[in-house]
């Protein structure tokens, strides 16, 4: 799915930033951890296969399902795989959510401050200043191996296809 075909509630939206594609070098980005320290994509996921789970807001039902799903799947995957969920929620809201839902097997980080991830990977919904829903899988050499821009932001991503791609890299 190309980023220019994404809809939110059935209405087309504009995704700002560079569209990321399979084969691209994954750009480093910075986000904010729940303790307000800096998350550095390259440094904090070094020598790992990376699953970036992108969601608009952790406090919505579909985002909650997506985050909980990957938290559970993380326990079944190799230690070589790092799952990072990124939203524009404030780190305080993410910390509250993770505590309430028992999210402890994945990293949940915030792009609220600079939209660094969203701009570099083409996931910023211009109309709402939220991230669109999707998944990006990056190998240990920081090459993009899988990209899903979910066509309808209110729908869940294709978990099975993403995990198939991860298992090819393990």
């Amino acid at each position: 799915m190309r980023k220019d075909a994404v809809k939110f509630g059935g209405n087309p939206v504009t995704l700002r930033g560079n569209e990321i594609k399979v084969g691209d070098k994954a750009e480093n980005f910075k986000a904010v951890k729940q303790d307000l320290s800096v998350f550095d994509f390259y440094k904090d996921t070094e020598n790992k296969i990376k699953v970036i789970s992108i969601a608009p807001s952790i406090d919505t039902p579909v985002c909650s399902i997506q985050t909980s799903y990957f938290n559970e799947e993380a326990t079944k995957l190799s230690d070589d795989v790092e799952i990072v969920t990124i939203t524009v929620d404030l780190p305080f809201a993410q910390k509250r959510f993770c505590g309430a839902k028992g999210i402890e097997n994945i990293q949940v980080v915030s792009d609220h401050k600079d939209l660094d991830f969203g701009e570099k990977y083409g996931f910023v919904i211009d109309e709402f200043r939220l991230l669109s829903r999707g998944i990006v899988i990056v190998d240990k050499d920081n090459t993009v191996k899988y990209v899903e821009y979910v066509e309808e932001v209110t729908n869940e991503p294709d978990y099975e296809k993403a995990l198939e791609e991860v298992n090819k890299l393990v």
Side-chain angles (χ1 to χ4, degrees), residues 6-99:
V6 172
K7 295 181 170 91
F8 191 104
N11 299 309
V13 291
T14 306
L15 295 189
R16 196 169 73 221
N18 301 317
E19 182 172 355
I20 193 83
K21 295 180 179 154
V22 171
D24 287 351
K25 175 79 169 173
E27 286 194 62
N28 193 27
F29 65 89
K30 303 251 186 342
V32 182
K33 295 180 183 180
Q34 293 171 29
D35 66 2
L36 302 181
S37 65
V38 175
F39 172 84
D40 181 303
F41 181 61
Y42 281 0
K43 185 175 146 237
D44 290 331
T45 63
E46 190 173 21
N47 297 317
K48 299 278 189 173
I49 297 161
K50 297 138 249 331
V51 177
I52 308 170
S53 172
I54 307 106
S57 176
I58 206 103
D59 282 322
T60 63
V62 176
C63 298
S64 176
I65 291 166
Q66 181 176 338
T67 304
S68 296
Y69 178 86
F70 279 117
N71 184 65
E72 178 63 29
E73 287 302 311
T75 65
K76 303 172 190 171
L77 296 170
S78 161
D79 289 341
D80 288 345
V81 178
E82 182 75 34
I83 300 176
V84 178
T85 290
I86 188 163
T87 72
V88 294
D89 295 295
L90 292 175
F92 311 110
Q94 291 177 334
K95 187 174 185 176
R96 177 191 44 75
F97 172 86
C98 290

